[in-house]
Amino acid sequence: NAGVTQTPKFQVLKTGQSMTLQCAQDMNHNSMYWYRQDPGMGLRLIYYSASEGTTDKGEVPNGYNVSRLNKREFSLRLESAAPSQTSVYFCASSERRSREQYFGPGTRLTVT
Amino acid sequence: KQEVTQIPAALSVPEGENLVLNCSFTDSAIYNLQWFRQDPGKGLTSLLLIQSSQREQTSGRLNASLDKSSGRSTLYIAASQPGDSATYLCAVIAAGANNLFFGTGTRLTVIP
């Protein structure tokens, strides 16, 4: 039981490049989340998925797209990376919205 | 919008001391409150979840309390150890929201 896994662990992009962050969970959870963590600001929600095929914007969705590929996988795509997207990205999952959330190890992204 | 505050931002204590970390939130209409631990460069580890109908939860040397009416929670750590050194994050799910709202954390150092 691996819990929540994320790939890659580290990534450096140039401004304008695109990439997809992958997330998978093996706990049969319905809800999945993408957060970003910036110094002094706490974690903020980018996108949320209540179930396969559904996604909703969070607090900071601009510049990102998501895909809930199936119940296990939830990917985050940066179409045209900007330096302001330099951050640590965390994926999380929970049985449903009001239940305990479990986090992946994070992806450290630098955009130059 | 829900605001979560954690004071102090940093705390140093000698090994063996009992300590209390504080968390306050602005909107008392919450589903639950969750305490996490984050080690440097790592993901978040869930410590305790308190449902809105509960007053406290205990796990080993940790005890978390919740006072919804005053918008406060405390995390009590008994007999602190150097291995407890980490950043502790408090987060709430507001009623009607999809995500956790995080504080910026308290960085704890336990001195041997």
Side-chain angles (χ1 to χ4, degrees):
Chain A
N1 189 337
V4 181
T5 57
Q6 293 182 237
T7 55
K9 288 195 169 88
F10 301 93
Q11 184 72 47
V12 179
L13 291 178
K14 294 187 189 304
T15 297
Q17 288 185 320
S18 62
M19 78 162 295
T20 299
L21 281 64
Q22 306 286 353
C23 173
Q25 52 90 11
D26 61 2
M27 295 175 282
N28 201 36
H29 285 168
N30 293 303
S31 298
M32 296 186 74
Y33 314 80
W34 277 105
Y35 291 90
R36 60 178 287 173
Q37 184 177 34
D38 301 294
M41 299 199 69
L43 281 85
R44 293 176 293 167
L45 183 73
I46 305 171
Y47 269 96
Y48 158 72
S49 171
S51 61
E52 182 180 348
T54 68
T55 60
D56 288 295
K57 292 179 180 178
E59 190 180 349
V60 288
N62 291 343
Y64 305 96
N65 286 302
V66 290
S67 295
R68 183 74 182 268
L69 305 168
N70 47 54
K71 193 170 186 179
R72 289 188 63 248
E73 297 172 291
F74 189 36
S75 62
L76 178 72
R77 182 160 178 84
L78 286 70
E79 292 291 351
S80 178
S84 60
Q85 294 178 305
T86 293
S87 188
V88 182
Y89 291 85
F90 288 102
C91 177
S93 72
S94 63
E95 184 182 333
R96 56 180 187 273
R97 181 180 69 183
S98 61
R99 305 302 292 177
E100 189 170 8
Q101 290 192 21
Y102 296 88
F103 281 72
T107 294
R108 282 144 189 83
L109 175 67
T110 301
V111 183
T112 62
Chain B
K1 179 192 161 187
Q2 180 75 264
E3 302 279 349
V4 180
T5 303
Q6 292 184 250
I7 295 173
L11 180 65
S12 289
V13 299
E15 181 177 1
E17 192 161 295
N18 302 325
L19 61 102
V20 174
L21 306 180
N22 296 297
C23 171
S24 61
F25 46 96
T26 54
D27 187 344
S28 62
I30 62 170
Y31 277 128
N32 62 44
L33 183 144
Q34 200 167 349
W35 281 94
F36 295 90
R37 168 190 174 131
Q38 186 175 28
D39 293 287
K42 304 290 186 185
L44 280 68
T45 301
S46 179
L47 297 173
L48 288 163
L49 173 77
I50 310 177
Q51 299 288 355
S52 61
S53 58
Q54 297 175 316
R55 296 282 294 182
E56 65 178 317
Q57 281 285 346
T58 298
S59 176
R61 294 183 294 109
L62 305 180
N63 176 276
S65 67
L66 174 64
D67 184 342
K68 261 185 29 173
S69 60
S70 67
R72 294 178 185 275
S73 175
T74 61
L75 179 67
Y76 174 83
I77 302 177
S80 59
Q81 303 170 357
D84 294 332
S85 298
T87 295
Y88 290 81
L89 298 168
C90 164
V92 298
I93 291 188
N98 296 322
N99 58 290
L100 287 166
F101 287 91
F102 280 85
T104 51
T106 295
R107 189 172 70 252
L108 173 67
T109 302
V110 181
I111 303 164

